[in-house]
Amino acid sequence: MFSMEYRLGASRVDETGLLRCSGMVDLMQDCSGFQLDTEQALNAYFAEHGLGMYLASRQIDIVRMPAYGEQLTLKTWIFDCNRFYGRRNTLLLDAAGEVCAASWCIGVFVDLSTARGTRIPQTLLEQVRLEPAYEMEYLPHKLIVPDASQPWEQLPDRAVDRSMIDRYHHVNNARYFDLGEEALPEGYAYRRVRIAYKTPAKHGALICPHRLTTAEGCWIALCDEQGKPYAQLLYSDIVPV
């Protein structure tokens, strides 16, 4: 298990002074990345063969959003791994050690020269440290999006600018949460968000958000101009603020 401390500052809170969901994902990504750095054999193999890891999906269950100034701890670990992908948990805890949010995600091994999935050797896999999965509800990583005949609402488009791009030269995973938040109906809250990453959006691309509210929650599809999704999100257990 890897952990890091963080005092919540102004750069990651919203207008109410609470942690933004995208800010939470930023922190979870940082903690996960630092944990991955400790996997020396895996990192050496990645560097030698030009590999990386792309997120395929994430689920976040939120107990409460911390407020500005709170002292936080993030903990992360890998609980399952095969030659094609790994699964990890990440927890966000407050100063009392209470869980504010719990997440699990899937990361796929990728050849960075082709952006295609690849597999790692079994001998390398055996060196990856695994720990027991956190006790939470694990929903399917694939989102079954409602039929296209449903009345999806089209929202204003957003061009991808440089501030959204990460070291893999596409939109950072957390920025899709910014786009999702902007697309939510005003005055709605949620306690769970699930995201499926489809096709990486690159600088200059136009992201066209679509929204549909069902009994399951609020669906946000972030698509290209032809309607092909970059990412799909489901915000559930939504109640009026």
Side-chain angles (χ1 to χ4, degrees), residues 4 20-21 24 35 43 46 53 56 71-72 82 90 92 107 132-133 157 160 186 189 194 217 233 235 240:
M4 73 177 202
R20 295 192 312 273
C21 188
M24 179 190 296
Q35 185 279 326
N43 276 282
F46 278 13
M53 181 172 282
Q71 188 66 41
L72 305 173
N82 61 38
T90 308
L92 178 67
D157 300 339
V160 174
E186 186 174 356
R194 297 161 63 198
L233 301 97
Y235 295 86

Side-chain angles (χ1 to χ4, degrees), residues 148-163:
S149 63
Q150 297 287 331
W152 287 77
E153 180 182 359
Q154 186 167 351
L155 303 171
D157 300 339
R158 170 71 185 273
V160 174
D161 57 41
R162 291 186 180 89
S163 67

Side-chain angles (χ1 to χ4, degrees), residues 135-181:
E135 188 174 334
M136 61 183 290
E137 183 179 12
Y138 289 81
L139 297 178
H141 69 276
K142 291 186 177 180
L143 292 177
I144 308 301
V145 179
D147 188 271
S149 63
Q150 297 287 331
W152 287 77
E153 180 182 359
Q154 186 167 351
L155 303 171
D157 300 339
R158 170 71 185 273
V160 174
D161 57 41
R162 291 186 180 89
S163 67
M164 303 167 73
I165 302 299
D166 64 17
R167 62 177 179 167
Y168 287 144
H169 310 291
H170 59 229
V171 173
N172 183 267
N173 298 311
R175 304 290 69 79
Y176 292 103
F177 287 86
D178 284 327
L179 294 165
E181 289 277 323

Side-chain angles (χ1 to χ4, degrees), residues 17-237:
L18 298 180
L19 176 64
R20 295 192 312 273
C21 188
S22 62
M24 179 190 296
V25 176
D26 281 330
L27 293 173
M28 289 182 170
Q29 286 188 143
D30 288 348
C31 188
S32 299
F34 294 145
Q35 185 279 326
L36 201 58
D37 288 345
T38 68
E39 298 286 348
Q40 296 182 0
L42 193 64
N43 276 282
Y45 186 85
F46 278 13
E48 181 181 355
H49 294 86
L51 306 185
M53 181 172 282
Y54 286 4
L55 273 194
S57 66
R58 183 186 290 276
Q59 174 185 326
I60 305 175
D61 290 355
I62 300 167
V63 178
R64 72 174 183 90
M65 285 297 197
Y68 171 80
E70 284 197 55
Q71 188 66 41
L72 305 173
T73 300
L74 290 107
K75 296 184 177 182
T76 192
W77 63 93
I78 302 168
F79 66 83
D80 178 47
C81 194
N82 61 38
R83 296 182 65 189
F84 296 94
Y85 62 85
R87 299 193 295 166
R88 76 163 58 240
N89 287 125
T90 308
L91 302 181
L92 178 67
L93 304 100
D94 63 19
E98 297 295 326
V99 174
C100 296
S103 172
W104 80 276
C105 65
I106 295 178
V108 179
F109 303 122
V110 173
D111 183 330
L112 296 178
S113 67
T114 63
R116 292 182 176 275
T118 188
R119 58 184 179 181
I120 62 174
Q122 181 65 32
T123 53
L124 181 62
L125 177 63
E126 292 168 357
Q127 299 181 61
V128 176
R129 291 166 294 175
L130 301 180
E131 299 185 50
Y134 181 70
E135 188 174 334
M136 61 183 290
E137 183 179 12
Y138 289 81
L139 297 178
H141 69 276
K142 291 186 177 180
L143 292 177
I144 308 301
V145 179
D147 188 271
S149 63
Q150 297 287 331
W152 287 77
E153 180 182 359
Q154 186 167 351
L155 303 171
D157 300 339
R158 170 71 185 273
V160 174
D161 57 41
R162 291 186 180 89
S163 67
M164 303 167 73
I165 302 299
D166 64 17
R167 62 177 179 167
Y168 287 144
H169 310 291
H170 59 229
V171 173
N172 183 267
N173 298 311
R175 304 290 69 79
Y176 292 103
F177 287 86
D178 284 327
L179 294 165
E181 289 277 323
E182 188 66 24
L184 282 174
E186 186 174 356
Y188 274 74
Y190 54 89
R191 286 187 279 269
R192 168 178 285 161
V193 58
R194 297 161 63 198
I195 186 169
Y197 298 100
K198 296 297 186 179
T199 303
K202 298 184 178 180
H203 178 243
L206 195 65
I207 294 182
C208 309
H210 301 263
R211 180 175 70 202
L212 176 68
T213 301
T214 70
E216 291 181 271
C218 187
W219 293 86
I220 305 295
L222 302 172
C223 304
D224 65 14
E225 294 173 271
Q226 287 70 48
K228 183 178 179 180
Y230 292 118
Q232 298 160 330
L233 301 97
L234 174 58
Y235 295 86
S236 57
D237 194 14

